[in-house]
């Protein structure tokens, strides 16, 4: 295949056709599309085992999808998908393969990096993780005073925190009751201090999770945690109470953790794609190796679907193309994630990193400036709480906000009628957002009012509707379905990156702030250091110094 060395999809006829199609169809209302086609749900929904995706509540027709599939073809999506699967260095700026799919692979899979098979090392680390997890879970792994581990504290940030944190919370019904799982990411000392509240050094295990093992937040927290342990324990206790997860053996050793207590992963795994690797150790400790395997199997199932299903039946591809439709052709700017499941409360945060660190870029993979809208602002909050907060804007504001509603059909906590009420709210929101409320309907509700009162109230009680949403209904939140869900979003982000010509696997944009923080920190500590920033930053540093001097 010959690939252009610069991005030109936005100058092709299919791009122009999509703009034209958007202009021609933008006044159509989904309410009318549903009225005109009793088969609309059947036409625009897909199932994969325990997952149902309803994408009928979108501003699309069959023609829209045809054009979007044409766009995917023009972007050589099938080739890029194959290149990722084959372990080619598609992370071009860092010259790395992108093989998170191998992390959930099984014996016999032929994943390769630079022509070398990788499954043996993946399975070897997974087996070591399982052996360790069994020891901790069974109480055979003892702390320095001979008692078993009762609390696990994961110290990591970004991809070394968000995935395991989300999975541990979401899969709490599967968790070992005897292990208290805690997560510390922030540099703010209160995060670690509060996480350690009530814990005993002798029964606490720390996981230092950092791919690079240079991330200052994680290393500062790890140093503080080690000091907390050593205030109560002899130096050799570190070996019983600290394990590391990293791709950097020497840095782990230099920190003082024996590489025998290190679980490795590799530079062909991006941090935000790493929950399937040793970074998932806290998840395995919590739910056990068998359930963790099921988590991987769910992701593997989604991988097979993504790699094999034709575009018209491909869940991640359709999800991605709908995002492109709104983002690039409707200029929607934002995308909301609404999980109707308390255990998925951190899903929006997880997807913020996955999506925005991957596709929040205005430069294409060959260094060219992209003059169209790329990755959206991802945000969201657990339902129904969000209904009582920002849904007003979704229903009656001025913004187009495509939403994902994620909801399990069965709860692990069948309290009276709670679950049915929760599901009712979820479905009701998607219906209200789609339908809206017409003037005739509002007039019916306001019967008896007239004059100024009616004039004032009528427009305020109208709901324009036509607000698009996808509903992702899972049979239940299980390790398997969570694996499917997260892998689905990974592939969605990949597809969008391909369409927009982005390398979704680097993150240069996070470096600059880190660089400046390294400069500013000593300037805060030394009141005599000369300041050469802009006037605002200089003044803020001076303000901090003054307040520090007073305290
Ligand atoms: O696992 P590490 O190397 O500590 O990195 C943590 C996070 O920091 C980032 O590099 C961004 O600052 C993320 O991409 C990554 O997930």
């Amino acid at each position: 295949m010959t690939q252009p060395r610069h991005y030109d999809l936005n100058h092709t006829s299919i791009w122009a056709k999509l703009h034209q199609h958007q202009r021609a169809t933008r006044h159509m209302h989904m309410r009318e599309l549903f009225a005109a086609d009793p088969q609309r749900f059947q036409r625009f929904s897909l199932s994969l085992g325990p997952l149902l995706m309803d994408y009928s509540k979108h501003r699309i027709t069959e023609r829209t999808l045809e054009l979007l599939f044409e766009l995917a073809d023009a972007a050589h999506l099938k080739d890029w998908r194959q290149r990722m699967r084959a372990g080619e260095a598609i992370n071009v700026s860092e010259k790395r393969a992108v093989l998170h799919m191998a992390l959930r692979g099984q014996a016999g899979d032929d994943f390769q990096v630079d022509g070398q098979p990788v499954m043996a090392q993946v399975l070897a680390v997974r087996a070591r993780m399982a052996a360790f997890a069994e020891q901790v879970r069974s109480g055979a792994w003892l702390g320095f005073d001979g008692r078993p581990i009762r609390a696990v504290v994961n110290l990591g940030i970004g991809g070394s925190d968000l995935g395991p944190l989300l999975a541990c919370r979401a899969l709490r019904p599967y968790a070992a009751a005897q292990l208290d799982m805690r997560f510390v990411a922030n540099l703010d000392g209160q995060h670690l201090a509060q996480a350690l509240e009530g814990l005993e050094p002798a029964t606490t295990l720390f996981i230092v999770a950092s791919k690079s093992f240079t991330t200052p937040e994680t290393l500062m927290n790890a140093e503080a945690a080690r000091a907390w342990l050593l205030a109560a324990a002899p130096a050799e206790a570190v070996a019983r109470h600290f394990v590391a997860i990293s791709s950097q053996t020497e840095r782990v050793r230099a920190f003082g953790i024996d590489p025998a207590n290190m679980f490795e992963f590799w530079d062909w795994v991006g941090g935000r794609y790493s929950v399937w690797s040793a970074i998932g150790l806290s998840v395995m400790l919590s739910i056990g190796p068998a359930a963790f395997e099921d988590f991987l199997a769910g992701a593997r199932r989604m991988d097979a679907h993504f790699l094999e299903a034709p575009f018209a039946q491909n869940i991640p591809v359709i999800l991605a193309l709908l995002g492109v439709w709104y983002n690039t052709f409707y200029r929607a700017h934002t995308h909301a994630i609404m999980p109707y499941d308390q255990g998925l409360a951190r899903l929006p945060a997880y997807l913020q990193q996955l999506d925005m660190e991957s596709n929040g870029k205005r430069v294409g993979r060959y260094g060219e400036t992209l003059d169209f809208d790329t990755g959206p602002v991802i945000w969201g909050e657990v339902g129904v709480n969000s209904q009582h907060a920002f849904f007003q804007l979704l229903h009656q504001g001025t913004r187009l906000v495509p939403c994902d509603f994620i909801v399990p059909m069965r709860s692990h906590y069948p309290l009276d009628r709670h679950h049915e009420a929760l599901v009712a709210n979820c479905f009701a929101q998607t219906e209200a957002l789609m339908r809206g409320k017409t003037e005739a309907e509002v007039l019916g509700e306001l019967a008896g009012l007239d004059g100024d009162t009616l004039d004032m109230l009528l427009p305020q009680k109208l709901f324009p509707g036509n607000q698009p949403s996808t509903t992702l209904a899972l049979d239940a939140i299980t390790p398997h379905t969570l694996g499917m869900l997260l892998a689905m979003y990974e592939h969605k982000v990949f597809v969008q990156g391909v369409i927009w010509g982005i390398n979704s696997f680097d993150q240069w944009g996070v470096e600059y702030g880190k660089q400046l923080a390294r400069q500013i920190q000593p300037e805060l500590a030394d009141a005599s250091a000369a300041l050469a920033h802009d006037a605002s930053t200089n003044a803020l540093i001076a303000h901090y110094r003054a307040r520090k001097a007073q305290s």
Side-chain angles (χ1 to χ4, degrees):
M1 179 194 58
T2 46
Q3 294 276 351
R5 295 295 298 167
H6 65 280
Y7 188 80
D8 65 354
L9 197 60
N10 55 331
H11 297 122
T12 58
S13 63
I14 179 58
W15 195 276
K17 272 197 262 177
L18 273 157
H19 271 302
Q20 224 169 21
H21 179 68
Q22 190 271 341
R23 280 193 296 274
T25 58
R26 70 176 174 220
H27 296 302
M28 98 201 156
H29 198 292
M30 284 188 268
R31 194 171 43 226
E32 283 140 31
L33 295 175
F34 272 97
D37 179 7
Q39 292 300 307
R40 190 170 168 84
F41 170 78
Q42 284 74 7
R43 211 178 296 288
F44 298 125
S45 60
L46 285 170
S47 286
L48 180 64
L51 168 66
L52 166 74
M53 174 171 81
D54 172 14
Y55 61 102
S56 59
K57 291 183 179 114
H58 279 285
R59 298 182 184 187
I60 55 165
T61 62
E62 289 198 312
R63 178 69 185 144
T64 319
L65 285 178
E66 268 168 36
L67 292 172
L68 288 168
F69 295 143
E70 210 182 302
L71 182 73
D73 283 334
H76 304 284
L77 175 59
K78 288 191 188 117
D79 296 304
W80 282 106
R81 190 175 60 179
Q82 185 46 35
R83 293 173 72 180
M84 173 164 74
R85 171 64 181 79
E88 273 188 46
I90 61 167
N91 175 355
V92 283
S93 67
E94 297 176 308
K95 298 188 174 59
R96 287 177 185 163
V98 174
L99 263 189
H100 41 277
M101 278 193 282
L103 297 172
R104 51 236 190 187
Q106 54 191 350
D109 286 347
D110 65 342
F111 289 102
Q112 298 191 359
V113 173
D114 294 333
Q116 298 303 311
V118 295
M119 273 325 293
Q121 48 184 337
V122 169
L123 294 175
V125 172
R126 207 186 291 161
R128 280 188 60 223
M129 288 165 64
F132 177 69
E134 291 295 12
Q135 277 189 291
V136 174
R137 287 165 61 86
S138 67
W141 182 278
L142 301 176
F144 69 85
D145 73 354
R147 283 184 291 157
I149 297 301
R150 286 288 168 249
V152 177
V153 184
N154 188 82
L155 307 169
I157 198 162
S160 300
D161 168 67
L162 290 163
L165 170 61
L166 166 65
C168 282
R169 296 255 170 97
L171 302 177
R172 181 111 177 260
Y174 298 81
Q178 75 277 14
L179 285 181
D180 183 352
M181 308 302 301
R182 302 192 182 190
F183 289 81
V184 178
N186 205 342
L187 257 184
D188 182 343
Q190 71 177 302
H191 203 182
L192 180 67
Q194 289 178 3
L196 295 179
E197 271 170 19
L199 299 189
E200 284 188 71
T203 57
T204 300
L205 175 75
F206 291 97
I207 301 175
V208 187
S210 176
K211 178 180 165 186
S212 59
F213 232 78
T214 56
T215 304
E217 294 86 337
T218 300
L219 295 184
M220 277 178 85
N221 278 328
E223 277 158 19
R226 185 172 52 190
W228 177 82
L229 171 75
L230 294 181
E236 55 277 16
V238 171
R240 308 294 310 161
H241 293 270
F242 273 78
V243 296
I245 301 163
S246 185
S247 63
Q248 301 296 329
T249 314
E250 284 319 309
R251 289 182 195 150
V252 168
R253 195 196 306 275
F255 181 83
I257 297 178
D258 185 343
N261 288 340
M262 169 181 151
F263 299 89
E264 192 188 9
F265 69 118
W266 306 274
D267 69 1
W268 40 265
V269 182
R272 54 195 175 272
Y273 298 87
S274 66
V275 65
W276 326 100
S277 72
I279 287 291
L281 181 63
S282 53
V283 185
M284 196 192 263
L285 282 163
S286 177
I287 66 175
F292 191 78
E293 283 292 344
D294 205 20
F295 175 59
L296 301 184
R300 201 158 58 234
R301 181 180 201 165
M302 186 56 72
D303 294 343
H305 168 79
F306 171 61
L307 292 171
E308 288 155 22
F311 289 172
Q313 277 126 48
N314 198 309
I315 290 173
V317 169
I318 290 179
L319 210 52
L321 292 174
L322 290 169
V324 170
W325 176 232
Y326 292 116
N327 234 34
T328 304
F329 299 99
Y330 266 97
R331 307 203 64 186
H333 297 166
T334 144
H335 186 103
I337 305 291
M338 253 62 93
Y340 278 66
D341 181 276
Q342 191 58 36
L344 293 180
R346 295 298 286 162
L347 183 65
Y350 173 82
L351 293 181
Q352 278 175 333
Q353 188 200 17
L354 179 66
D355 201 315
M356 293 163 83
E357 206 174 64
S358 296
N359 288 341
K361 294 167 190 167
R362 40 174 266 295
V363 172
R365 69 167 78 83
Y366 304 116
E368 67 280 41
T369 301
L370 303 173
D371 60 356
F372 51 86
D373 288 337
T374 61
V377 177
I378 301 284
W379 59 288
E381 176 62 86
V382 74
V384 296
N385 308 20
S386 46
Q387 293 175 202
H388 298 271
F390 54 74
F391 267 59
Q392 165 65 37
L393 181 145
L394 302 183
H395 286 295
Q396 292 187 315
T398 56
R399 311 270 175 194
L400 172 62
V401 185
C403 305
D404 290 356
F405 285 83
I406 299 127
V407 61
M409 297 295 91
R410 182 170 58 77
S411 170
H412 293 287
Y413 302 91
L415 276 187
D416 194 19
R417 291 168 297 119
H418 280 62
H419 189 63
E420 218 141 87
L422 180 80
V423 174
N425 271 276
C426 173
F427 293 171
Q429 290 300 328
T430 73
E431 183 177 19
L433 288 168
M434 183 277 288
R435 283 191 81 250
K437 202 183 275 184
T438 62
E439 191 169 310
E441 288 165 338
V442 178
L443 280 172
E445 288 176 10
L446 295 181
L449 291 184
D450 55 15
D452 288 351
T453 314
L454 183 62
D455 289 349
M456 185 260 293
L457 274 182
L458 178 62
Q460 308 206 40
K461 294 206 165 220
L462 286 179
F463 288 69
N466 221 16
Q467 193 74 285
S469 68
T470 303
T471 301
L472 296 152
L474 300 158
D475 285 355
I477 305 298
T478 65
H480 195 85
T481 60
L482 184 70
M484 289 177 72
L485 187 73
L486 302 190
M488 177 196 76
Y489 277 115
E490 287 179 349
H491 295 315
K492 172 201 155 168
V493 167
F494 168 77
V495 171
Q496 293 188 332
V498 169
I499 306 279
W500 290 323
I502 286 171
N503 173 7
S504 303
F505 303 103
D506 58 13
Q507 57 283 322
W508 303 107
V510 301
E511 296 306 324
Y512 187 34
K514 293 183 191 173
Q515 216 179 346
L516 290 183
R518 278 196 293 274
Q519 187 185 330
I520 292 175
Q521 197 180 334
E523 293 170 351
L524 294 175
D526 175 6
S528 66
L531 300 178
H533 305 269
D534 58 89
S536 160
T537 311
N538 283 344
L540 290 169
I541 294 171
H543 180 72
Y544 175 85
R545 287 172 171 176
R547 287 292 183 272
K548 189 175 157 190
Q550 285 163 9
S551 61

